Amino acid sequence: MPKLSVIVPFYNVRQYAPDTLRSLRANARDDFEFILVDDCSSDGTADLLARAESELPGAVLVRHERNGGLATARNTGIDRARGEYLTFLDGDDWLAPGYYERLLAAIEELGCDFVRTDHVQCTARARVVHRVPHGRRNVSLRPRDAILPAHRSTSVDYAYAWAGVYHRRLVDRGLLHFTDGLRTAEDRPWIWRLHREAESFAVTGLLGVFYRRGVASSLTQIGDVRQLDFIRAFDEVVAGAAEDADAARLLPKAVRTYCAIISHHLGSVERFEPAVARKLKAMSAAALRRMPQGALDEVLGSMDTERATLLRRLRRRGPQGAEVAA
């Protein structure tokens, strides 16, 4: 049984994959395996991965016959992984040498279900450290205690799957898989489920993941219909919070985050194709009407005037976009 399984989906990242693969080699150990998932690339990435299968110690290459998206590719990797611990990396990011050995030592010392880490965001030549928004570090804690408060950024807002390491018992409990088919925001219901249902977690200041931001081929830079999967993702977040025994406390946080994401997308609606922009507005209006209305009223009453006014107006839109009586 490998000690650590690293799951790395790749899709049309030929320009960046060599950096990723070199950094994996600089982290190789006899008891580490690297699950390289080719999500049906068409730009030459597949050729790089074919070479890596024989050159990278511990490499296991898995190919998708159809592109399934990041969530599905990660699930493929989880299903193939054999390690006692699992972690993730995206195919256009990279690692500091020896990082995984230090990460593994951290979770073994802390003895918890999962550990979250800081990371370095890289935009062109700029480097910025992003930290887990949680004050207590290097001590095992109850994950659900890190969800609130609703009005501040917390650990569930820092949803990067690759910023951490996870014990296999989370797989056995059905907590580590992602919602199949989600093309964006796939890590939001995932991180909420971990924090609601896992038994222990910790935060460490360990740095070693370099997150490449602003890649032209990244879905976050593309304004097509796949971006609208955030609606399905946050519907799942709100539904999970509503079913929780502590729903009264958790729902305002879930609804507030959902509203903030809707506002964010509407604030940059010009980057979407016109038909997608119309669909975004219609789907967002329907989402607001689906939310628990008491929690939504509470959230809108505490938000800044500009966003609250926008969301209230959007909530009044009828199914065809016409406003209805308040």
Side-chain angles (χ1 to χ4, degrees):
M1 182 188 219
K3 196 71 174 175
L4 178 69
S5 296
V6 183
I7 296 157
V8 196
F10 293 83
Y11 176 64
N12 288 352
V13 286
R14 185 178 184 277
Q15 179 180 355
Y16 307 111
D19 290 341
T20 305
L21 294 167
R22 277 193 294 270
S23 75
L24 291 174
R25 176 180 285 275
N27 277 268
R29 208 171 81 172
D30 289 345
D31 55 351
F32 289 0
E33 65 173 3
F34 302 109
I35 313 295
L36 313 178
V37 183
D38 177 21
D39 196 20
C40 201
S41 297
S42 58
D43 69 339
T45 298
D47 296 332
L48 296 175
L49 297 180
R51 288 199 296 273
E53 186 179 22
S54 59
E55 296 174 358
L56 173 64
V60 178
L61 179 58
V62 184
R63 297 190 187 278
H64 280 175
E65 294 185 1
R66 292 185 305 171
N67 177 259
L70 183 57
T72 301
R74 284 177 176 163
N75 287 343
T76 294
I78 292 169
D79 291 340
R80 290 293 298 268
R82 299 175 296 129
E84 181 181 355
Y85 297 92
L86 294 84
T87 190
F88 303 93
L89 184 68
D90 286 352
D92 52 3
D93 298 337
W94 75 97
L95 307 160
Y99 169 69
Y100 282 147
E101 189 161 7
R102 298 191 295 275
L103 183 63
L104 181 62
I107 192 170
E108 290 197 307
E109 180 179 348
L110 290 161
C112 49
D113 286 342
F114 66 101
V115 167
R116 304 290 285 153
T117 70
D118 302 334
H119 73 275
V120 181
Q121 178 177 296
C122 306
T123 307
R125 294 186 177 182
R127 302 288 185 266
V128 179
V129 173
H130 284 251
R131 302 199 181 278
V132 186
H134 190 79
R136 297 188 65 189
R137 298 199 161 208
N138 301 313
V139 59
S140 183
L141 304 166
R142 198 169 75 131
R144 67 171 41 239
D145 292 341
I147 296 174
L148 300 175
H151 63 280
R152 283 212 317 257
S153 181
T154 68
S155 189
V156 291
D157 301 307
Y158 185 88
Y160 312 106
W162 35 257
V165 60
Y166 314 89
H167 196 283
R168 168 159 292 278
R169 56 180 168 262
L170 296 174
V171 180
D172 299 337
R173 291 183 57 195
L175 300 181
L176 204 61
H177 282 77
F178 295 79
T179 301
D180 195 60
L182 278 181
R183 298 282 180 160
T184 190
E186 75 292 328
D187 45 12
R188 296 298 188 134
W190 174 86
I191 193 69
W192 268 82
R193 187 173 62 247
L194 279 181
H195 274 277
R196 286 179 45 239
E197 300 187 33
E199 295 178 2
S200 59
F201 95 116
V203 175
T204 179
L206 182 65
L207 283 173
V209 178
F210 294 83
Y211 165 49
R212 202 185 298 270
R213 179 81 173 175
V215 176
S217 60
S218 171
L219 189 54
T220 58
Q221 305 297 309
I222 298 172
D224 69 17
V225 71
R226 292 172 293 178
Q227 282 280 6
L228 303 188
D229 273 8
F230 85 90
I231 297 281
R232 183 157 69 102
F234 276 95
D235 277 352
E236 187 176 335
V237 169
V238 170
E243 294 168 359
D244 195 275
D246 206 13
R249 295 180 66 242
L250 298 185
L251 269 174
K253 173 67 173 178
V255 170
R256 186 182 184 89
T257 308
Y258 201 168
C259 287
I261 297 296
I262 289 174
S263 298
H264 167 76
H265 283 297
L266 292 174
S268 57
V269 71
E270 68 282 349
R271 71 190 175 92
F272 290 94
E273 301 159 3
V276 178
R278 291 192 294 272
K279 191 171 184 179
L280 166 65
K281 292 175 183 178
M283 291 179 67
S284 296
L288 289 166
R289 293 192 296 272
R290 280 195 304 275
M291 293 179 198
Q293 295 301 292
L296 178 57
D297 287 336
E298 178 184 340
V299 166
L300 294 179
S302 66
M303 293 184 81
D304 60 272
T305 302
E306 183 178 353
R307 288 193 299 172
T309 300
L310 171 68
L311 294 171
R312 287 192 179 103
R313 184 181 299 123
L314 190 63
R315 180 169 59 166
R316 293 196 296 268
R317 287 168 60 103
Q320 303 304 317
E323 290 200 357
V324 297

